[in-house]
Amino acid sequence: MAPLAGGLATMVASATSTQVGAAVGAHAFATVGPAGVVAVRQLVAAAVLLPAVRPDLRRFTWPQWWPTLLLGVVFATMNLSLYTAVDRIGLGLAVTLEFLGPLAVALAGSRTRLDLACAAGAAVGVYVLVLPGPASDCPGIGLGLLAGACWAAYILLNRLLGARLPGLQAPAAATAVSALACLPVAVALLVQGRLHGGGLLFAAVAGLLSSVVPYAADLVALRRVPARLFGVVMSIHPVLAALAGLVLLGQVLSPHEWAGIAIVVTVNAFAVARARRDGGALT
């Protein structure tokens, strides 16, 4: 039971840090824009992870390098699409759409009808939370879905790299790749005199909370938790995003959004209870 509790605590802490960081980063949009927040976020993450982990890049083999390079591309694409979606459609809806990525992993890894029922229940919760209509922002929704596809890739690549590289070498190296890709954006903002003050501070905090903490925590969790269970339990992200949006961004929730949250929480509780009943297997 202890490994299960530890794995769940790690996942919830990671999700909370991610959504609080996203809400904090949204405060920098007016100054540096979503692309600027992503650039600073990745640079901060690289500045923290590389000295702390010190991955020996010269010893990486090709089977270690190719998923690391892909993960770096996923980091940059996922963050840019998500933050742009947050700017267009709000934190709660953007993260709800992004959650479809882990949900897809849960569906792909389903082995029993109960697994499928958990994923389907989470999907119902997502629909009730969003209630899409004709006035929906299609580009924003499309970006949220792109972020979801990247999140699915992030889960699978992180799990693969967890078996090929020790410690936090994979996220540290991938973050360096992502930071290099985002460096031109940061240089352009610096030349324009926009990379300073509150905007820079908010973006830097987002880098710590939404990159450094979850990258490390998710790698640890994915080494213990099956991908399908990870995907279902991580449906808590829309809940935390809605709460972070309410508390930090003043985004008031409607009754249908609270109903969607209740459904998602119920699905999570059932998934956790079933894992305990099956013996808490996390490998």
Side-chain angles (χ1 to χ4, degrees):
M1 300 303 176
L4 177 60
L8 292 174
T10 300
M11 286 188 284
V12 172
S14 171
T16 301
S17 182
T18 297
Q19 301 313 327
V20 170
V24 170
H27 287 290
F29 288 167
T31 305
V32 300
V37 173
V38 172
V40 173
R41 169 177 166 171
Q42 295 307 110
L43 288 169
V44 167
V48 173
L49 289 175
L50 286 178
V53 179
R54 296 183 181 180
D56 191 352
L57 303 180
R58 293 172 297 180
R59 293 183 178 273
F60 277 27
T61 64
W62 179 240
Q64 295 169 329
W65 260 122
W66 74 258
T68 299
L69 293 172
L70 280 180
L71 187 60
V73 173
V74 165
F75 281 163
T77 306
M78 178 172 63
N79 293 329
L80 181 58
S81 56
L82 175 64
Y83 275 71
T84 306
V86 169
D87 192 34
R88 297 183 65 100
I89 61 178
L91 181 60
L93 177 55
V95 172
T96 299
L97 293 171
E98 187 191 32
F99 163 70
L100 295 178
L103 178 59
V105 173
L107 284 169
S110 294
R111 297 178 183 177
T112 69
R113 292 181 179 179
L114 284 176
D115 290 330
L116 185 60
C118 286
V124 170
V126 167
Y127 180 82
V128 173
L129 187 64
V130 176
L131 286 185
S136 299
D137 185 321
C138 292
I141 291 174
L143 288 166
L145 293 173
L146 175 60
C150 289
W151 197 359
Y154 164 77
I155 291 173
L156 299 176
L157 286 170
N158 230 345
R159 190 168 182 83
L160 175 64
L161 283 165
R164 295 186 180 182
L165 286 169
L168 299 177
Q169 289 194 42
T175 298
V177 172
S178 180
L180 285 175
C182 296
L183 187 58
V185 175
V187 172
L189 290 171
L190 188 62
V191 170
Q192 296 169 9
R194 297 168 56 191
L195 204 58
H196 62 81
L200 177 59
L201 177 61
F202 285 133
V205 171
L208 290 172
L209 296 180
S210 295
S211 291
V212 176
V213 172
Y215 290 173
D218 287 354
L219 183 64
V220 172
L222 282 164
R223 283 174 172 167
R224 302 176 179 178
V225 180
R228 69 184 188 280
L229 180 59
F230 184 94
V232 174
V233 174
M234 280 289 93
S235 62
I236 196 71
H237 272 273
V239 176
L240 296 174
L243 293 175
L246 174 64
V247 175
L248 299 177
L249 300 176
Q251 297 173 351
V252 180
L253 300 175
S254 65
H256 74 84
E257 289 171 324
W258 282 117
I261 287 174
I263 294 172
V264 170
V265 169
T266 301
V267 169
N268 275 296
F270 179 80
V272 172
R274 181 169 175 268
R276 286 184 180 275
R277 187 174 61 249
D278 290 347
L282 294 172
T283 59

